[in-house]
């Protein structure tokens, strides 16, 4: 425990360095800059779409209000991940393309390639860096691919738009199910508390999704992962103390 | 209903398209550069001992899972988002859970018909509004409040969060995936393969195998699902993760 706590503080020192804070805030600043330029373009050219300035503002506000619920749900998950990755890496990885599940899976797979597990004594600063690299490079691929494909798709008539639909459905779904099944099964032999956390999380998710569908509560679907994580952690805390 | 636009309006729309394309590409590129530079800056400003081989290996293992998504997601979202929206969406992420619902709500708020310029403008404005809420919530609630909460938490709690966060995420995500994808056969195959690979193959083979255990699960599952795929059961929902 002492060993793992000293590596924890080493990781924390690397992950929370002032330079990374600056870069994390810069990345979020780029998002705000983009929104600012886009809004100016919409406002200046609104008449081109028979749109009034009032409608532009209404659309902006409606989009913002609709995003409050999903944003708070993401915040809950992000805070639960802070002890593992530190604040600036979480702001960048959750703030840009990707999701809590995608990033955690990437980090876990990356740690596995050097025989380490996220969170335990084998999770050294070196492993943290390998995990951060893998998450960042994977996120970069989405962005590069968008930069390359968007102009091609914009020209229309692209063969890309007619990829075999069965291929589109089967391979990614199979890959996703296999990765998460593998990662989940990998947790089970670690300890009975790992099994407990996995099962409690899975049960809470199942209940949330069932209630969301039965009572038609869409917001519950967004919050389900946050509730599952908190439930799993509370169960693990009670079991360890 | 057919809307016609005057030449002046066409010029305005062309200006909108030009600005959003140029700045969309530029901001997505800058976001990509900063985000990707971060781990390299950590590597070169600390004395951590990580080799290029380790990084490439880790990336290949991750790309084995997500490689298909890098290409499929932009293609799938393009008809929904349009060119301007693509550069917003693939910078910000949270596309299906945050941005697309925001755009739809905004379009219905101002009564913009799908496929019109007005709908495109409404989507851009709505995603901009969503982006402001997204960034503000992250900076204030995660960056400031979250960091403070973690700092005052007793170590016994943060220790539990660190050690058991992974199973606490995975249990829920696994159920969510099964419920969303609704692919009974692929689910059964993936769980069977995972049990076999992780509990039986890995403990009885050299350490190299365990390094690629997830990639092995992915390749085996996709191969089995693909070769047992009948012509008639191709009505699956497409899988999207962003």
């Amino acid at each position: 425990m002492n060993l793992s706590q000293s590596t924890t503080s080493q990781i924390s020192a690397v992950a929370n360095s002032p330079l990374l804070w600056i870069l994390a805030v810069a990345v979020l600043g780029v998002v705000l800059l983009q929104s600012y330029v886009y809004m100016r373009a919409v406002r200046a050219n609104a008449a081109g779409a028979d749109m009034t300035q009032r409608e532009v503002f209404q659309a902006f506000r409606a989009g913002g209000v609709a995003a409050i619920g999903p944003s708070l749900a993401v915040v809950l998950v992000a805070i639960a991940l802070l002890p593992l990755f530190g604040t600036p890496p979480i702001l960048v990885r959750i703030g840009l393309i990707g999701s809590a599940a995608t990033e955690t899976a990437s980090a876990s797979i990356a740690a596995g390639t050097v025989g380490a597990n996220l969170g335990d004594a084998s999770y050294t600063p070196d492993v943290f860096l390998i995990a951060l690299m893998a998450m960042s490079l994977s996120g970069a691929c989405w962005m590069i691919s968008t930069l390359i494909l968007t102009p091609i798709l914009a020209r229309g008539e692209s063969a890309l738009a007619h990829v075999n639909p069965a291929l589109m459905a089967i391979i990614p779904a199979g890959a996703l199910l296999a990765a998460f099944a593998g990662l989940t099964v990998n947790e089970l032999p670690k300890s009975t508390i790992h099994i407990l956390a996995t099962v409690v999380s899975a049960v809470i998710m199942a209940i949330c999704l069932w209630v969301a569908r039965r009572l038609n509560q869409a917001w519950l679907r967004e919050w389900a992962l946050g509730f599952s994580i908190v439930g799993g952690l509370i169960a693990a805390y009670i079991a360890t103390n | 209903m057919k809307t016609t636009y005057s030449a002046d309006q066409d010029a305005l729309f062309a200006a909108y398209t030009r600005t959003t394309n140029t700045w969309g590409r530029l901001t997505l590129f800058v976001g990509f550069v900063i985000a990707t530079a971060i781990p390299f800056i950590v590597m070169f400003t600390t004395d951590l001992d990580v080799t290029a081989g380790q990084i490439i290996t880790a990336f290949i293992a991750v790309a084995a899972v997500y490689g298909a998504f890098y290409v499929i997601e932009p293609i799938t979202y393009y008809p929904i988002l349009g060119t301007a929206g693509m550069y917003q969406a693939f910078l910000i992420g949270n596309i299906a859970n945050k941005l697309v619902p925001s755009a739809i709500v905004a379009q219905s708020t101002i009564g913009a018909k799908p496929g019109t310029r007005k709908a495109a403008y409404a989507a851009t404005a709505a995603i901009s509004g969503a982006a402001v809420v997204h960034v503000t919530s992250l900076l204030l609630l995660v960056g400031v409040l979250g960091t403070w909460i973690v700092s005052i938490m007793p170590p016994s709690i943060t220790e539990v969060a660190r050690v058991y966060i992974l199973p606490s995420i995975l249990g829920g995500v696994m159920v969510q995936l099964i419920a969303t994808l609704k692919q009974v056969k692929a689910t059964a195959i993936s769980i069977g393969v995972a049990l076999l690979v992780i509990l039986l193959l890995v403990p009885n083979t050299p350490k190299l195998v365990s390094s690629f255990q997830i990639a092995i699960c992915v390749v085996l599952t996709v191969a089995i699902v693909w070769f047992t795929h009948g012509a008639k059961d191709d009505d699956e929902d497409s899988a999207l993760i962003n």
Side-chain angles (χ1 to χ4, degrees):
Chain A
M1 199 62 115
N2 277 337
L3 178 81
S4 90
Q5 259 165 14
S6 88
T7 60
T8 307
S9 64
Q10 282 169 23
I11 291 172
S12 174
V14 172
N16 294 303
S17 78
L19 185 58
L20 287 204
W21 269 101
I22 292 169
L23 291 169
V25 172
V27 158
L28 295 176
V30 172
V31 174
L32 288 182
L33 173 70
Q34 186 190 56
S35 298
Y36 173 74
V37 173
Y38 268 47
M39 271 315 283
R40 260 185 36 158
V42 172
R43 277 216 308 270
N45 303 299
D50 290 323
M51 198 171 178
T52 65
Q53 293 300 325
R54 191 176 141 68
E55 284 174 325
V56 172
F57 176 71
Q58 279 181 323
F60 176 82
R61 192 181 55 190
V65 171
I68 292 175
S71 293
L72 293 178
V74 170
V75 163
L76 179 61
V77 177
I79 292 178
L81 281 167
L82 286 179
L84 196 59
F85 296 119
T87 307
I90 284 293
L91 289 179
V92 175
R93 297 313 337 152
I94 303 289
L96 299 187
I97 184 79
S99 66
T102 310
E103 304 293 358
T104 319
S106 302
S108 181
I109 292 166
T113 61
V114 286
N117 294 301
L118 296 184
D120 72 10
S122 66
Y123 184 52
T124 62
D126 288 355
V127 177
F128 162 77
L129 177 56
I130 291 170
L132 185 62
M133 275 285 182
M135 289 191 274
S136 306
L137 293 175
S138 183
C141 285
W142 261 288
M143 294 179 171
I144 294 171
S145 165
T146 302
L147 285 167
I148 295 171
L149 290 174
T150 303
I152 298 173
L153 291 163
R155 282 203 291 274
E157 285 304 307
S158 166
L160 281 174
H162 310 291
V163 180
N164 178 355
L167 193 77
M168 297 263 285
I170 290 169
I171 291 180
L176 215 52
L177 283 166
F180 280 94
L183 289 167
T184 308
V185 171
N186 194 37
E187 291 304 303
L188 304 180
K190 288 180 181 170
S191 77
T192 48
I193 301 176
H194 282 83
I195 297 177
L196 176 75
T198 310
V199 171
V200 168
S201 168
V203 168
I204 294 176
M205 176 62 77
I207 293 171
C208 286
L209 293 181
W210 185 77
V211 172
R213 198 163 78 187
R214 257 310 168 77
L215 306 179
N216 215 3
Q217 302 290 315
W219 66 272
L220 194 54
R221 209 163 285 135
E222 280 151 18
W223 283 87
L225 185 59
F227 292 158
S228 303
I229 291 172
V230 171
L233 290 177
I234 290 175
Y237 184 78
I238 294 170
T240 48
N241 287 276
Chain B
M1 186 199 77
K2 172 129 178 66
T3 318
T4 50
Y5 299 103
S6 68
D8 285 350
Q9 286 185 307
D10 285 343
L12 287 174
F13 187 67
Y16 160 83
T17 307
R18 213 168 35 241
T19 308
T20 50
N21 283 5
T22 310
W23 281 86
R25 291 186 71 77
L26 183 70
T27 43
L28 179 56
F29 182 74
V30 172
F32 149 74
V33 169
I34 301 176
T36 313
I38 287 176
F40 289 95
I41 289 171
V42 171
M43 188 158 90
F44 294 122
T45 56
T46 57
D47 53 0
L48 297 182
D49 191 20
V50 171
T51 66
Q54 288 175 319
I55 294 167
I56 294 166
T57 307
F59 172 68
I60 290 172
V62 171
V65 178
Y66 293 114
F69 289 91
Y70 304 151
V71 179
I72 285 171
E73 286 200 318
I75 295 174
T76 310
Y77 279 121
Y78 183 81
I80 304 167
L81 295 164
T83 304
M86 287 290 281
Y87 297 127
Q88 290 180 296
F90 284 87
L91 180 63
I92 302 164
N94 297 280
I95 302 170
N97 70 331
K98 207 182 278 192
L99 304 190
V100 172
S102 289
I104 292 169
V105 167
Q107 286 166 345
S108 83
T109 302
I110 64 163
K113 299 264 187 305
T116 59
R117 286 180 185 176
K118 198 166 165 177
Y121 279 22
T124 301
I127 292 177
S128 301
V132 171
V133 170
H134 173 72
V135 169
T136 311
S137 69
L138 282 175
L139 276 179
L140 294 182
L141 301 181
V142 179
V144 179
L145 185 67
T147 310
W148 178 72
I149 289 173
V150 171
S151 74
I152 58 160
M153 283 268 182
S156 64
I157 292 181
T158 50
E159 182 71 8
V160 165
R162 207 169 52 78
V163 177
Y164 299 106
I165 186 77
L166 205 53
S168 301
I169 289 181
L170 291 171
V173 171
M174 193 64 210
V175 171
Q176 195 174 34
L177 273 181
I178 295 170
T180 321
L181 295 175
K182 297 191 195 77
Q183 300 196 5
V184 179
K185 196 180 72 180
T187 303
I189 293 171
S190 68
I191 294 175
V193 166
L195 290 169
L196 213 70
V197 170
I198 308 283
L199 301 182
L200 221 63
L201 180 71
V202 167
N204 297 304
T205 45
K207 207 172 152 291
L208 183 69
V209 175
S210 78
S211 298
F212 288 98
Q213 54 186 10
I214 302 302
I216 293 169
C217 289
V218 169
V219 171
L220 277 179
T221 301
V222 169
I224 295 172
V225 173
W226 183 250
F227 287 115
T228 60
H229 164 65
K232 60 181 172 59
D233 53 32
D234 56 4
D235 55 340
E236 293 93 345
D237 293 332
S238 67
L240 297 170
I241 50 176
N242 278 301

